[in-house]
């Protein structure tokens, strides 16, 4: 992660921007933010590496927005300190910090043209007019909006506005990029496209990027690392795949994707290791195979466990088929990819469920 | 303590100039007035007892209440169906109708009262017409009686009834009526069970506003009524002119104030229970006029956005029955109301161009003679210049102080904001005569009675309220994240204000300035008390002439007083329209 692709936009042709490093390191030291008696963020410590793409993920009320506000300098921590490249910025107002922010609804200035919106951060940094124009032009080109400079923001589509917002956050070459629910306002197809765009921009500019979202898919696709927040605290921090594959708590297991939590089930779960106390066994729906009861068992040296159950219902969802299967008194969710030649089960059918013992996880209750 | 420090850091301090003016001109004097009314420091209710022991004053008090109630009820009876029909009308018609209701509200009440003297007088429009048609041999006594006062009062207050009603009715989801009908409710049942209950908040604010305004009526009963039709305001003003002691006046003013405050606190403070109001915290927080005005802004916006897609549901589920006959009846009704609202003003404007030696309608020929006589008479031109100077000064002063206050209030704790907003709105919420007496006392304190500075200050407390209302409504729609965005791009607080906030709320500020100008230019009640015979503003001089009925030039004055606000309004509308266009994007279809 320490190798940066040099930005295709030549940096620092103006004295005003000369001192900017490409990216910066951010550190939260035991940060607490109180609103009255309520702690929105409780004793949070974290470290963001230079050039890293970190996502703060959580449901509403988890403190993720407050975390972003603290980072942006719109609110000051009640306790603790925030360091950027080793210097405390807890008391530095946002307009003395060096960062680019993409706001939830973009916050493009409605009274200024796209060009003027892009010029704004440069102007505020005292960049010369002549240099501004060229830089804006290159940035517009980079986000494929060459012909849109004279438009008002209201004359742009959602995706175009999003790209202007990104361009405006990146144009001054600030070492930190903050994204607040960057794709929340877009429809599904556009969202996927913009995810790719954001990834490409991150790779190209190498900014330390912190994204706040409640959208798990967004978090999984974009990030180097994800922080899951809950009730103002950090629940778990990990790389996307590790987080999904090995959630440490029931909350994370449920918040990221679907989980079968096997508690109080009639059948004994067979696992490789002994179950630690105060944990619940968990298995992801896509790790379970569904077959006819009579289907031959695979010879796998006893690595699989299988149970017999009855199909409760089947939900068809395009590329996926989802079954709810009743096993004893518990219901397991099973997800399989739709493929040709596959046997389709109806509600009431007897089925056999199989899974690898190594796919069972234990999560803290 | 920490909370106090935080408060100090907030820009609440920006509200200080506005509140300082309000305190000196209105706040302190009203306390003084109360102390005088109870004979402080000896504290007795002797003045109040005297008030109630005098048969004449009690009579006037009950008459005031009676006339206010009658006028309010008539307003509601005419206003509710009118508002309903306006809301049910197709969009383009609706917007036009709203503007037509809005215009008389903005034009001088004095001129409109004068118009009724022209219409109802012995040689007025109606009598002349009837005499001409030989239907009568002697003029009917239409003027100087109770009926004339009611006609004038309802004429002036009807817009204040209709506009809040329309604003609430427009917020009622029309699909609710459709839903009721789909469940088998006949149109009348759907109306009474669904629409009417939902429109009650509008009924309440409209009724309350009209009633409180009626309590303070001063010019209309004086100009249109007989000797026995005086209201408490006339009594107070007469006392102030003749009596040396302030105590009975103070007691009378506080009795009037008490009625208004009791009404406001019983019916006004409960603003919960309507869904669309809770969606707009700021509107919810500040009563009556604020809501009405905030909506008014939206109406004006709406004219400019014809190209916006029609709300088809509105057309589909028009709350009114679709039978041809009810449509015609509705149209005729609305037409009559509009004629009633607009015709008097129009009469004055048209008559002012008449060529004959007397005022006549319709004019036998057109000429500018009355305007020539107006601009040729130094006493009129002097009054005009005085009015203009005062109004411009008031507009500047109140726009600066009011904008700062609105800005400061928008950044403070919600509860504190609600309270301060109510305080700053008191001068336009309470009966005009009470405000006038308080301002009179305030200016005596300052030694400014009979000076332009004094009149400016007295007008400013009224005008600030309008500015705050309009700018606050604009700020409520302003996305604070734009300021955060600017700050994240290294714009400091001042540059953020200049480059982002001010340009975006400019339409509201301009609107506030225009309202402030109009409020001052038309003002007559407060002015008549504080001018101390040495300064004659245009409306004041006109008021004198209405009573004397000598000079036909006042038709030209009335016409100027009517047309100037309308011109302002058009200018304002164009400003808003342009900025709206700019923000909306000139062509909606460019949005992919």
């Amino acid at each position: 992660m320490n190798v940066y692709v040099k930005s295709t936009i030549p940096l620092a042709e103006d004295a005003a921007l000369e001192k900017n490093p490409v990216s910066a390191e951010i550190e939260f030291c035991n940060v607490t933010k109180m609103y009255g008696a309520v702690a929105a963020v409780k004793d949070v410590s974290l470290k963001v590496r230079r050039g890293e793409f970190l996502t703060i993920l959580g449901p509403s009320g988890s403190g993720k927005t407050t975390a972003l506000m603290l980072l942006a300098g719109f609110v000051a921590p009640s306790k603790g300190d925030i360091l950027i490249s080793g210097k405390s910025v807890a008391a530095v107002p946002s307009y003395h910090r060096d960062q680019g922010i993409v706001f939830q609804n973009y916050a493009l200035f409605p009274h200024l043209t796209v060009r003027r919106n892009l010029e704004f951060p440069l102007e505020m940094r005292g960049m010369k007019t002549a240099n501004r124009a060229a830089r804006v032009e290159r940035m517009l080109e980079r986000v494929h909006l060459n012909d849109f400079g004279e438009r008002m923001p209201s004359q742009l589509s959602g995706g175009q506005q999003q790209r202007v917002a990104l361009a405006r956050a990146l144009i001054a070459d600030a070492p930190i990029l903050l994204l607040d629910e960057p794709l929340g306002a877009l429809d599904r197809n556009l969202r996927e496209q913009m995810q790719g765009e954001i990834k490409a921009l991150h790779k190209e500019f190498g900014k330390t990027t912190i994204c706040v979202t409640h959208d798990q898919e967004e978090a999984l696709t974009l990030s180097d690392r994800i922080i899951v927040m809950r009730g103002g605290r950090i629940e778990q921090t990990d790389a996307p795949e590790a987080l999904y594959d090995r959630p440490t708590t029931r909350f994370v297991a449920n918040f990221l994707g679907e989980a079968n939590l096997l508690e109080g089930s009639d059948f004994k779960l067979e696992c490789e290791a002994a179950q630690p106390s105060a944990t619940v066994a968990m298995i992801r729906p896509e790790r379970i195979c569904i077959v006819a009861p009579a289907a031959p068992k695979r010879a796998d040296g006893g690595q699989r466990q299988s149970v017999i159950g009855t199909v409760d219902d089947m939900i068809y969802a395009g590329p996926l088929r989802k079954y709810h299967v009743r096993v004893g008194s518990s219901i397991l969710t099973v997800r399989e990819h739709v493929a040709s030649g596959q046997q389709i089960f109806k509600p009431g059918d007897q089925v056999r469920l199989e899974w690898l013992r190594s796919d069972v996880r234990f999560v803290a209750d | 303590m920490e909370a106090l420090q935080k408060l100090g850091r907030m820009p609440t301090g920006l509200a200080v100039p506005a509140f300082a003016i309000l305190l000196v001109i209105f706040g302190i004097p009203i306390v003084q007035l109360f102390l005088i009314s109870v004979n402080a420091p000896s504290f007795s209710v002797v003045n109040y007892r005297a008030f109630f022991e005098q048969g004449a004053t009690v009579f006037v008090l009950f008459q005031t209440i009676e006339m206010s109630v009658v006028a309010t009820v008539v307003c509601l009876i005419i206003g509710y169906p009118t508002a309903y029909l306006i809301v049910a009308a197709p969009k383009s018609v609706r917007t036009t109708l709203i503007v037509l209701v809005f215009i008389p509200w903005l034009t001088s009440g004095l001129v409109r009262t004068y118009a009724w003297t022209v219409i109802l007088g012995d040689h007025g429009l109606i009598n002349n017409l009837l005499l001409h048609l030989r239907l009568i041999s002697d003029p009917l006594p239409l003027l100087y009686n109770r009926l004339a006062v009611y006609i004038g009062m309802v004429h002036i207050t009807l817009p204040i009834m209709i506009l809040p009603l329309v604003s609430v009715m427009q917020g009622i989801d029309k699909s609710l009526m459709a839903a009721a009908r789909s469940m088998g409710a006949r149109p009348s049942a759907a109306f009474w069970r669904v629409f009417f209950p939902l429109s009650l908040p509008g009924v309440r604010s409209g009724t309350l506003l009209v009633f409180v305004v009626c309590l303070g009526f001063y010019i209309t009963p004086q100009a249109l009524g007989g000797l026995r039709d005086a209201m408490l305001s006339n009594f107070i003003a007469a006392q102030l002119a003749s009596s040396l002691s302030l105590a009975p006046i103070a007691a009378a003013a506080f009795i009037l104030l008490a009625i208004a405050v009791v009404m406001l606190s019983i019916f006004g403070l409960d603003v919960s229970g309507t869904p669309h109001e809770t969606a707009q915290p700021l509107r919810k927080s500040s009563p009556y006029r604020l809501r009405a005005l905030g909506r008014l802004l939206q109406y004006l916006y709406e004219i400019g956005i014809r190209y916006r897609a029609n709300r088809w549901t509105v057309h589909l589920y028009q709350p009114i029955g679709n039978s041809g006959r009810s449509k015609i009846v509705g149209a005729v009704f609305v037409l009559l109301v509009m004629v009633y609202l607009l015709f008097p003003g129009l009469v004055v404007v048209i008559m002012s161009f008449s060529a004959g030696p007397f005022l006549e309608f319709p004019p036998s020929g057109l000429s500018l003679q009355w305007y020539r006589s107006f601009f040729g008479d130094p006493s009129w031109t002097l009054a005009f210049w005085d009015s203009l100077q005062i109004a411009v000064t008031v507009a500047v002063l109140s726009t600066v102080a009011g904008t700062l206050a609105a800005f400061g209030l928008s950044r403070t704790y919600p509860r504190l904001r609600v309270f301060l907003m109510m305080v700053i709105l008191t001068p336009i919420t309470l009966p005009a005569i009470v405000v006038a007496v308080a301002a009179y006392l305030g200016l005596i304190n300052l030694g400014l009675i009979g000076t332009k500075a004094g009149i400016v200050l007295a007008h400013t407390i009224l005008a600030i309220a309008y500015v705050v209302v309009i700018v606050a409504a604009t700020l409520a729609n302003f996305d604070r994240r734009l300021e955060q965005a600017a700050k994240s791009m290294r714009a400091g607080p001042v540059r953020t204000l200049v480059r982002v906030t001010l340009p975006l709320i400019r339409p509201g500020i301009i609107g506030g300035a225009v309202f402030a100008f109009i409020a001052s230019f038309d003002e007559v009640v407060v002015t008549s008390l504080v001018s101390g015979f040495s300064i004659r503003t245009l409306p004041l001089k006109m008021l004198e002439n209405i009573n004397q009925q000598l000079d036909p030039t006042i038709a030209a004055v009335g016409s100027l007083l009517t047309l100037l606000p309308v011109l302002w309004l058009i200018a304002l509308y164009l400003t808003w329209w342009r900025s709206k266009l700019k923000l909306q994007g000139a062509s909606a279809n460019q949005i992919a």
Side-chain angles (χ1 to χ4, degrees), chain A residues 56-68:
Chain A
I56 302 178
L57 180 67
S60 54
S62 61
K64 60 183 195 305
T65 303
T66 307
L68 190 86

Side-chain angles (χ1 to χ4, degrees), chain A residues 69 74 94-99 101 103-105 107-111 120-121 123-125 151-152 154-157 168, chain B residues 479 481-493 495-496 499-500 503-504 582-587 590-592:
Chain A
M69 291 287 128
F74 296 135
S94 61
Y95 49 89
H96 287 145
R97 297 190 187 182
D98 205 7
Q99 59 204 358
I101 305 182
F103 288 81
Q104 197 168 357
N105 292 322
L108 299 177
F109 299 128
H111 60 306
F120 194 90
E123 190 187 336
M124 292 301 138
R125 285 166 168 84
R151 294 266 186 108
M152 300 308 271
S154 55
Q155 292 168 283
L156 301 180
S157 70
R168 193 177 67 171
Chain B
D479 187 355
R481 267 176 309 195
L482 293 173
E483 288 183 344
Q484 289 189 340
K487 286 185 180 162
S488 80
M489 288 178 257
R490 308 199 67 153
R495 279 213 275 187
T496 303
R499 294 290 307 275
V500 177
L504 283 170
K582 232 163 99 186
L583 295 190
Q584 287 264 324
S587 47
Q590 274 180 334
I591 294 173

Side-chain angles (χ1 to χ4, degrees), chain B residues 10-185:
Chain B
M10 285 182 174
T12 319
L14 295 175
V16 167
F19 280 94
I21 298 174
L22 188 64
L23 189 69
V24 172
I25 306 298
F26 183 73
I28 295 173
I30 201 95
V31 175
Q32 267 180 306
L33 207 60
F34 180 71
L35 293 178
I36 292 172
S37 80
V38 295
N39 282 351
S42 61
F43 293 105
S44 75
V45 291
V46 60
N47 294 313
Y48 291 91
R49 194 180 296 152
F51 183 95
F52 285 109
E53 273 168 0
Q54 263 184 301
T57 50
V58 175
F59 177 76
V60 170
L61 175 65
F62 279 108
Q63 184 158 288
T64 304
I65 296 173
E66 181 200 332
M67 288 167 81
S68 301
V69 169
V70 171
T72 309
V73 170
V74 174
C75 260
L76 185 62
I77 292 170
I78 301 176
Y80 193 93
T82 310
Y84 184 84
L85 291 165
I86 288 177
V87 173
K91 191 175 173 68
S92 54
V93 180
R94 181 171 63 217
T95 317
T96 314
L97 288 175
I98 288 168
V99 172
L100 290 182
V101 175
F102 190 52
I103 285 173
W105 185 59
L106 269 183
T107 53
S108 159
L110 178 64
V111 177
R112 290 193 283 151
T113 302
Y114 163 70
W116 284 110
T117 69
V118 173
I119 294 171
L120 300 174
D122 282 355
H123 303 288
L125 226 54
I126 294 178
N127 274 322
N128 273 352
L129 185 69
L130 296 178
L131 285 170
H132 192 73
L133 297 173
R134 298 188 187 284
L135 290 172
I136 49 171
S137 51
D138 289 313
L140 296 172
L142 296 172
L143 202 55
Y144 307 126
N145 55 39
R146 185 65 66 85
L147 183 67
V149 180
Y150 285 144
I151 290 176
M153 285 173 82
V154 172
H155 171 76
I156 286 177
T157 50
L158 194 53
I160 321 176
M161 178 66 85
I162 294 176
L163 291 172
L165 277 171
V166 167
S167 90
V168 168
M169 287 180 185
Q170 274 196 323
I172 297 174
D173 187 351
K174 298 300 180 297
S175 58
L176 292 175
M177 294 283 280
R181 284 203 225 166
S182 75
M183 288 177 260

Side-chain angles (χ1 to χ4, degrees), chain A residues 149-171:
Chain A
E150 303 315 318
R151 294 266 186 108
M152 300 308 271
S154 55
Q155 292 168 283
L156 301 180
S157 70
Q160 290 165 341
Q161 290 185 11
Q162 164 80 69
R163 278 184 278 162
V164 175
L166 276 166
R168 193 177 67 171
L170 288 169
I171 195 165

